[in-house]
Amino acid sequence: MKFGGSSLKDPERIRNVAAIVQKEEETGPVAVVLSAMQGITDSLIGAAKSAEAGDPSYRSNLSDMRERVLKTATELVGRGEVTESLEVMLDELEEILHGIELVRECSPRSLDLVQSFGERMNCTVVAALLSAEGSPAVMTDARELVRTDDNHLSANVDFEITYRQIEEKLGSYEAAGEIPVITGFIGSTNEGVTTTLGRNGSDYSASIMGAGLRAEAIEIWTDVDGVMSADPRIVPNAFVVPEVSFEEAMELSYFGAKVIHPYTMIPAVDRTIPVWIRNTLNPEAPGTRIAKDAAKSEKPITGIASIDGAALINVQGGGMVGMPGVASKVFSIMAECKANIIMISQASSEHSICMVLRESETERALHALREGLREEVRAKKIQNFELIRDLEIVSIIGDKMRGTPGISGRLFKSLGDNEINVLAIAQGSSERNISFVVQTAQREDTLKTVHQAFLE
Ligand code: ASP
Ligand code: MG
């Protein structure tokens, strides 16, 4: 069972989490994975950055954090052993930040160490609370379980060693009837240096633990009822999807249904363990089950996902026709300037290549393209670079679309009937996703129209 920051933001929520864990424990052994309390990771990063800049405000930032952490712990388990060990951690953190201030340098390696305090402090508190409430629990530092490389800030997991360490070290807790309360997000290298799995990486940690333990289920407890058929803030008729396949979940999470970190599926798929999305604020709700054998939805698609803040770059020119290598040059330039292409389409006339990316990366990309393709422009092989801003990528997703004729017909007819203009279209041969681009101004209409056409 993994609980995220918003489920752990104050003493009341933490008590609620403990109650959910205790209830589950009645039916069989449980391992718990936690992220930091809401806002703590951001504060830690903020403090490290201020210290690096020589800005003494990190000290007040740190004392606010100290107050919040100690107050929460005192409220939950009183003063004593727990608050003392938190004080020790906070003192160490202060020394590290002071070191960063002195050398005016915060390397990714140092930042990983700083970030690790959020999860470590939180697990210390929650393990003590569970124990105090009669469910013996042990704070478990994932640095002893998750082995990674030294790619700090988003380290890569060595699964062989990690699975072995989980089996060896967590097996004994089950035998002793204790609940391990494991730090999400963090790991360590074979030299024992602290690493992190990337922001919001605790979901991934939970899935790694679940797979390592060959658990019956991996439960990601968050603050929504499950995977929604569309963004409920925009589509009031959106509903919780009861079952989705691993592939659908990956597509949905990548395309903006941000209930779960996309990497979470990797270990779960690896050992075929179902992943549940559950709501800590509504534990009675069944949630969404993500599994290999997910029941196929009765509707033609499973869900709609969207990404806003997109922009489109069109590289146009007659000289690209029948000339191998131009596309590869365009994509290399994009890679070199670290502009991430979200969607691509090229018509068979080969007269233009259309790329959709985040608005914030377009300036850089356009500049790099102009520089890198100067020769081609001079030779008039490429005529121009068109930029269109304020766009939204919308995707319909579902395993059932595969091999079912008529879905795209229905999609574009519904858009046409509602006067929604489509700027670009892409469908991969997996046929699990049809993506298209519209203007941001038409986003609400688009999502409602498509939801109605397929899901209502
Ligand atoms: N605490 C980490 C973060 O805020 C990991 C997580 O929340 O999953 O990114
Ligand atoms: Mg989080």
Side-chain angles (χ1 to χ4, degrees), residues 12 18 43 112 182 238 246 353 405 421 424:
E12 198 194 321
S43 300
D112 269 349
I182 310 158
F246 285 126
I353 299 174
N421 185 40

Side-chain angles (χ1 to χ4, degrees), residues 3-33:
F3 298 88
S6 67
S7 305
L8 299 157
K9 71 171 183 188
D10 55 35
E12 198 194 321
R13 293 267 175 101
I14 296 177
R15 272 207 192 89
N16 181 38
V17 163
I20 293 172
V21 172
Q22 288 187 298
K23 184 144 185 250
E24 184 65 44
E25 203 209 356
E26 289 169 9
T27 65
V30 172
V32 173
V33 175

Side-chain angles (χ1 to χ4, degrees), residues 2 4-6 35-36 38 41 119 199-202:
K2 179 262 174 179
S6 67
S35 62
Q38 192 167 43
T41 309
E119 273 68 13
R199 289 307 307 270
N200 301 313
S202 301

Side-chain angles (χ1 to χ4, degrees), residues 31-206:
V32 173
V33 175
L34 303 180
S35 62
M37 286 171 72
Q38 192 167 43
I40 292 285
T41 309
D42 286 332
S43 300
L44 288 165
I45 295 171
K49 296 283 172 202
S50 306
E52 181 179 35
D55 168 2
S57 72
Y58 79 88
R59 290 187 180 276
S60 58
N61 195 331
L62 184 64
S63 57
D64 290 349
M65 202 182 313
R66 188 184 285 270
E67 205 188 301
R68 180 175 171 204
V69 169
L70 292 175
K71 203 168 151 227
T72 306
T74 310
E75 232 184 285
L76 291 168
V77 293
R79 291 211 154 264
E81 214 178 298
V82 172
T83 49
E84 273 161 32
S85 71
L86 291 172
E87 295 263 24
V88 171
M89 281 193 238
L90 287 156
D91 290 346
E92 190 187 325
L93 174 61
E94 189 171 345
E95 279 181 46
I96 295 166
L97 289 170
H98 183 53
I100 291 172
E101 182 188 24
L102 290 176
V103 295
R104 291 287 170 88
E105 190 203 333
C106 181
S107 63
R109 173 175 167 155
S110 305
L111 191 55
D112 269 349
L113 180 60
V114 169
Q115 291 188 83
S116 74
F117 281 86
E119 273 68 13
R120 285 155 57 204
M121 293 193 292
N122 206 15
C123 288
T124 304
V125 174
V126 175
L129 175 65
L130 282 166
S131 299
E133 308 261 282
S135 301
V138 184
M139 152 28 172
T140 307
D141 193 323
R143 291 178 296 182
E144 287 167 23
L145 303 171
V146 179
R147 172 67 61 82
T148 70
D149 65 6
D150 63 356
N151 185 30
H152 286 285
L153 304 180
S154 71
N156 302 298
V157 175
D158 180 330
F159 278 95
E160 208 186 304
I161 299 179
T162 300
Y163 283 162
R164 195 171 60 230
Q165 299 197 122
I166 291 172
E167 238 168 75
E168 281 168 14
K169 295 190 179 148
L170 292 187
S172 61
Y173 291 124
E174 192 186 325
E178 289 168 332
I179 303 173
V181 179
I182 310 158
T183 55
F185 184 47
I186 66 175
S188 71
T189 66
N190 56 3
E191 273 95 42
V193 177
T194 303
T195 54
T196 63
L197 305 180
R199 289 307 307 270
N200 301 313
S202 301
D203 292 346
Y204 185 31
S205 303

Side-chain angles (χ1 to χ4, degrees), residues 269-280:
V269 170
D270 193 21
R271 293 201 162 168
T272 328
I273 299 173
V275 177
W276 288 82
I277 310 296
R278 303 286 304 270
N279 189 354
T280 43

